């Protein structure tokens, strides 16, 4: 469901002085404002412990927009909608102050009692805030009330269940918007369109014609200042439980009977239910973990993970995961979905490669032509687009083949598209469209899958860490994982849309 309406709401941001708010949320809100999607009837209340005034807050918001977008047109008008209330999440009294300010702004901007609460804070506070929002009367409102909740949603299934039960005391499932920012990326949203709006893909989209699917999401950055969180999370919880599994679900799901939130989510849930559980001794046959050592990125020397700030020098935390997922249903029987993700790799790149099966016979082999497999490459970031790798005839008087690439480049959006993803998702929430947010059932099933793997990894110290150099594409075992099935990882750095023209 999407419309181009403008929307009226109060947005209350918990964690308003933090990194996410500054780098992603304020620039996204500014974009929406500039595009006329927020109209004049909106107000933002920022809250955190820092004792800022409204003016200091507005100056920070302007600064973050200027830094991210370099734009100052309409910035003063935009910033005038921002208000700040210092507040400690555990202190009941300050929720009363927030409630009073919300009431005042409701009348001033004619917000019809619509409220979005955005929890951009450390996850240990999510439950407490949700409790207070109800007990201190902030959710008693005449309009809609919606809760946007950042990742991670729990640390494992048990903690996620507890958190879910707690927030469900204050919000109904349809009022909860669990963010997975990959679901806001243009080309992730395009997966469904590519599959379900093209006559020639859907008939081929199954085990008869697809040999394997590879999803790579590599980063050049290391752990940066996030070691306190990352040491307990690792790449499996940080990237696989959410973003990687969500992409798998979109690639593997059945066509929904209609494009409604419930129908799409229900098809994704069926994929998670069909995921072959990997546990115990099987884990190391299906999954490979890695941790970066020192190396060089863009010609600059960088430290290994164990030397990063706040990281245990003996850390057993994985900064890289490669895995083979099997979806045990009729459509996907026998087709491996390979995933890999990690920090400090060669390139910042997210790509999906769908490799089709070889044709039954090569008629051109007398010319010693090696036929390349057909590939569909979906470029998620930094370049956005689609490439089809085909075989065509070489020009001239011969019957020789030549690999060719048909390319669609999503012009005008070359870069890391995270702010745009937040913009889309914020707008979806304003519209009450939860399709691109994760339902509790998806979260629960993906934790159930991931927990079995982390159980094994946490109970066995890796004797090989660090096992890949910064600036590489991960440990050798990740290559072996795919090679033992007769495949290899397609080189994502050779597959850029620009290179395919
Ligand atoms: N940063 C990013 O790129 C991403 C972040 N996320 C998620 O977003 C959330 C926020 O992350 P991030 O912005 O990086 O975190 P930060 O540590 O930068 O910000 C935390 C915020 O919480 C406030 N805060 C801390 N303790 C309290 C308290 N007791 N009462 C009230 N406010 C408090 C801090 O402000 P003050 O000190 O003034 O109180 C600050 O505004 C996390 O769940 C994270 O996992 C998800 C994806 C990417
Ligand atoms: O959620 C997260 O995602 C980022 C990667 O996001 P991207 O949009 O830049 O691809 C990752 O760096 C971070 O560790 C993780 O928490």
């Amino acid at each position: 469901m999407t419309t181009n309406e403008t929307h009226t709401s109060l947005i209350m941001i918990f964690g308003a002085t933090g990194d996410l708010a500054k780098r992603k949320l304020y620039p996204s809100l500014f974009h929406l404002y500039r595009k006329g999607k927020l109209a004049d009837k909106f107000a933002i209340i920022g809250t955190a412990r820092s004792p800022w005034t409204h003016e200091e807050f507005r100056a920070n918001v302007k600064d973050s927009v200027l830094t991210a977008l370099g734009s100052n047109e309409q910035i003063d008008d935009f910033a005038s909608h921002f208000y700040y209330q210092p507040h400690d999440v555990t202190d009941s009294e300050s929720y009363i102050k927030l409630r009073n300010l919300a009431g005042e702004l409701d009348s001033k901007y004619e917000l019809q009692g619509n409220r979005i609460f955005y929890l951009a804070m450390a996850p240990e506070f999510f439950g407490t805030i949700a409790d207070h929002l109800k007990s201190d009367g902030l959710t008693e409102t005449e309009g809609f009330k919606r809760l946007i909740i950042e990742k991670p949603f729990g640390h494992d299934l048990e903690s996620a269940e507890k958190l879910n039960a707690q927030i469900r005391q204050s919000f109904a499932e349809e009022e909860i918007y669990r963010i997975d920012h990959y679901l806001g990326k243009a080309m992730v949203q395009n997966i469904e369109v590519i599959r379900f709006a093209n006559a020639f893909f859907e008939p081929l989209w199954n085990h008869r014609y697809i040999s394997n699917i590879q999803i790579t999401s590599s980063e050049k950055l290391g752990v940066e200042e996030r070691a306190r969180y990352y040491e307990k999370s690792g790449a499996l919880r940080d990237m696989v439980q959410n973003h990687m599994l969500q992409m798998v679900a979109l690639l593997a799901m059945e066509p929904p009977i209609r494009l409604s939130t419930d129908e799409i989510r229900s098809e994704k849930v069926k994929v998670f239910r069909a995921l072959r559980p990997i546990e115990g001794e099987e884990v190391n046959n299906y999954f490979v973990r890695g941790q970066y050592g020192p190396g060089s990125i863009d010609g600059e020397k960088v430290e290994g993970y164990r030397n990063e700030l706040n990281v245990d020098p003996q850390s057993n935390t994985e900064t890289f995961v490669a895995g083979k997922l099997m979806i045990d249903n009729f459509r996907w029987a026998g087709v491996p979905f390979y995933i890999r993700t990690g920090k400090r790799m060669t390139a910042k790149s997210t790509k999906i490669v769908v490799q089709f099966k070889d044709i039954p016979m090569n008629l051109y082999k007398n010319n010693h032509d090696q036929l390349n497999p057909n590939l569909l490459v979906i470029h998620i970031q930094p370049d956005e687009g689609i490439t089809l790798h085909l075989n065509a005839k070489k020009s001239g008087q011969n019957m020789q083949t030549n690999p060719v690439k048909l390319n669609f480049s999503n012009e005008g959006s070359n870069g890391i598209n995270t702010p745009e993803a937040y913009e889309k998702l914020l707008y979806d929430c304003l519209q009450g469209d939860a399709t691109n947010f994760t339902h509790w059932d998806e979260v629960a099933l993906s934790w159930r899958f991931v927990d079995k793997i982390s159980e094994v990894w946490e109970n066995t110290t890796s004797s090989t860490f660090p096992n890949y150099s910064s600036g590489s594409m991960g440990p050798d075992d990740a290559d072996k994982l795919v090679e033992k099935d007769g495949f290899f990882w397609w080189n994502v750095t050779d597959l850029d849309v620009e290179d395919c023209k």
Side-chain angles (χ1 to χ4, degrees):
M1 177 184 94
T2 38
T3 64
N4 281 319
E5 290 166 34
T6 52
H7 290 273
T8 292
S9 183
L10 174 75
I11 304 175
M12 196 175 280
I13 299 178
F14 291 82
T17 61
D19 178 70
L20 180 81
K22 205 171 160 92
R23 285 193 306 117
K24 314 273 167 69
L25 303 187
Y26 305 141
S28 302
L29 287 165
F30 182 66
H31 262 162
L32 290 176
Y33 180 71
R34 285 279 299 276
K35 290 177 183 166
K37 291 183 173 176
L38 279 174
D40 281 331
K41 291 185 179 173
F42 79 97
I44 314 280
I45 300 180
T47 168
R49 289 166 308 180
S50 303
W52 288 0
T53 61
H54 298 320
E55 282 316 318
E56 281 173 298
F57 182 41
R58 288 172 193 155
N60 272 281
V61 169
K62 285 198 244 180
D63 181 54
S64 83
V65 172
L66 290 174
T67 309
L69 309 172
S71 161
N72 63 6
E73 224 176 288
Q74 293 178 290
I75 188 101
D76 288 319
D77 287 346
F78 170 71
S80 71
H81 290 257
F82 283 70
Y83 297 80
Y84 186 80
Q85 176 67 54
H87 154 262
D88 190 311
V89 293
T90 52
D91 168 27
S92 211
E93 256 178 47
S94 50
Y95 286 91
I96 309 290
K97 288 187 189 146
L98 278 175
R99 190 183 70 196
N100 294 340
L101 180 57
E104 279 168 36
L105 297 178
D106 207 19
S107 316
K108 179 169 175 179
Y109 291 96
E110 301 170 20
L111 302 174
Q112 300 161 17
N114 293 334
R115 290 183 186 170
I116 293 176
F117 304 99
Y118 196 126
L119 309 191
M121 296 197 46
E124 61 260 35
F125 295 124
F126 293 164
T128 310
I129 301 173
D131 285 350
H132 276 282
L133 290 175
K134 183 172 184 191
S135 61
D136 294 319
L138 281 116
T139 52
E140 271 165 41
T141 181
E142 281 173 6
F144 63 66
K145 61 177 202 299
R146 293 175 190 151
L147 182 75
I148 305 186
I149 191 157
E150 262 301 335
K151 62 165 289 206
F153 196 92
H155 178 75
D156 51 20
L157 180 58
E158 195 185 340
S159 57
E161 274 172 342
K162 268 194 201 139
L163 172 61
N164 200 49
Q166 193 173 9
I167 60 176
R168 285 296 306 277
Q169 299 295 316
S170 309
F171 293 87
E173 174 62 31
E174 60 275 15
E175 293 171 329
I176 301 170
Y177 291 70
R178 297 177 193 84
I179 283 245
D180 182 315
H181 77 271
Y182 269 57
L183 295 181
K185 291 185 189 279
M187 290 308 297
V188 173
Q189 297 193 347
N190 228 318
I191 294 172
E192 280 175 65
V193 183
I194 294 167
R195 288 190 54 196
F196 304 135
N198 291 297
F200 51 83
F201 284 131
E202 191 43 34
L204 304 183
W205 209 260
N206 55 53
H207 67 98
R208 286 187 201 91
Y209 299 100
I210 290 179
S211 74
N212 73 94
I213 296 185
Q214 304 183 2
I215 310 175
T216 299
S217 191
S218 58
E219 295 190 74
K220 284 204 271 192
L221 287 180
V223 68
E224 312 301 301
E225 290 89 35
R226 296 173 68 213
R228 281 206 184 87
Y229 151 74
Y230 199 85
E231 271 282 87
K232 288 193 224 119
S233 149
L236 187 68
R237 292 187 173 98
D238 188 46
M239 291 292 292
V240 176
Q241 181 269 335
N242 37 66
H243 313 318
M244 303 301 282
L245 287 182
Q246 283 294 325
M247 288 190 279
V248 169
L250 289 169
L251 288 161
M253 72 186 201
E254 293 301 314
I257 53 173
R258 67 182 71 83
L259 289 177
S260 70
T261 307
D262 287 350
E263 296 299 343
I264 293 174
R265 285 170 155 188
S266 133
E267 294 306 336
K268 283 162 69 190
V269 164
K270 285 188 208 153
V271 174
F272 291 125
R273 286 174 48 208
L275 259 186
R276 184 181 301 171
I278 308 297
E279 51 195 300
E281 285 172 6
E282 285 293 4
V283 166
N284 293 326
N285 292 333
Y286 282 80
F287 276 82
V288 171
R289 56 178 160 164
Q291 187 190 76
Y292 63 82
S296 85
I297 300 273
D298 294 335
E300 289 207 3
K301 284 205 162 26
V302 293
E303 296 279 11
Y305 179 70
R306 289 178 176 186
N307 285 340
E308 303 270 25
L309 183 71
N310 295 322
V311 171
D312 176 353
Q314 305 298 322
S315 176
N316 193 41
T317 300
E318 78 287 350
T319 61
F320 172 97
V321 175
K324 167 176 155 178
L325 311 180
M326 299 305 292
I327 297 166
D328 290 329
N329 63 17
F330 258 51
R331 186 185 283 265
W332 294 114
V335 180
F337 283 64
Y338 299 109
I339 56 169
R340 66 178 164 166
T341 181
K343 296 204 180 281
R344 284 278 189 244
M345 294 173 66
T346 319
K348 171 74 184 169
S349 173
T350 305
K351 289 197 186 354
I352 296 166
V353 181
V354 180
Q355 179 175 340
F356 290 87
K357 285 189 170 165
D358 291 340
I359 48 165
M361 185 180 127
N362 180 1
L363 286 172
Y364 304 95
K365 65 174 186 287
N366 290 342
N367 295 320
H368 307 291
D369 281 344
Q370 179 77 28
L371 285 185
N372 292 317
N374 292 143
L375 303 180
L376 165 69
V377 182
I378 305 176
H379 308 259
I380 310 281
Q381 62 183 13
D383 50 330
E384 292 185 3
I386 308 165
T387 311
L388 262 181
H389 293 232
L390 308 170
N391 294 301
K393 181 184 169 304
K394 265 188 195 158
S395 54
Q397 295 289 336
N398 55 51
M399 255 308 167
Q400 288 176 321
T401 62
N402 198 23
V404 295
K405 291 163 189 166
L406 299 185
N407 193 51
F408 158 70
S409 169
N410 207 7
E411 291 297 342
S413 60
N414 201 317
I416 300 305
N417 40 25
T418 313
E420 289 77 8
Y422 275 91
E423 179 187 329
K424 282 200 183 77
L425 295 174
L426 275 165
Y427 188 58
D428 283 354
C429 179
L430 276 163
Q431 296 194 101
D433 182 354
T435 314
N436 291 312
F437 294 81
T438 45
H439 187 275
W440 164 246
D441 294 345
E442 298 171 63
V443 175
L445 287 164
S446 50
W447 274 126
R448 181 164 299 159
F449 177 78
V450 156
D451 278 357
K452 303 272 185 224
I453 300 156
S454 37
E455 241 166 59
V456 171
W457 285 353
E458 279 170 4
N459 292 322
T460 45
T461 306
S462 167
S463 55
T464 57
F465 279 0
N467 58 354
Y468 71 100
S469 304
S470 288
S472 71
M473 282 308 282
D476 293 344
D477 282 349
D479 297 333
K480 290 183 193 143
L481 177 79
V482 176
E483 282 161 11
K484 70 186 178 196
D485 294 339
F487 302 120
F488 56 85
W489 289 106
W490 290 94
N491 185 349
V492 290
T493 52
D494 284 349
L495 293 174
D496 283 354
V497 170
E498 288 304 312
D499 298 334
C500 296
K501 280 183 178 162

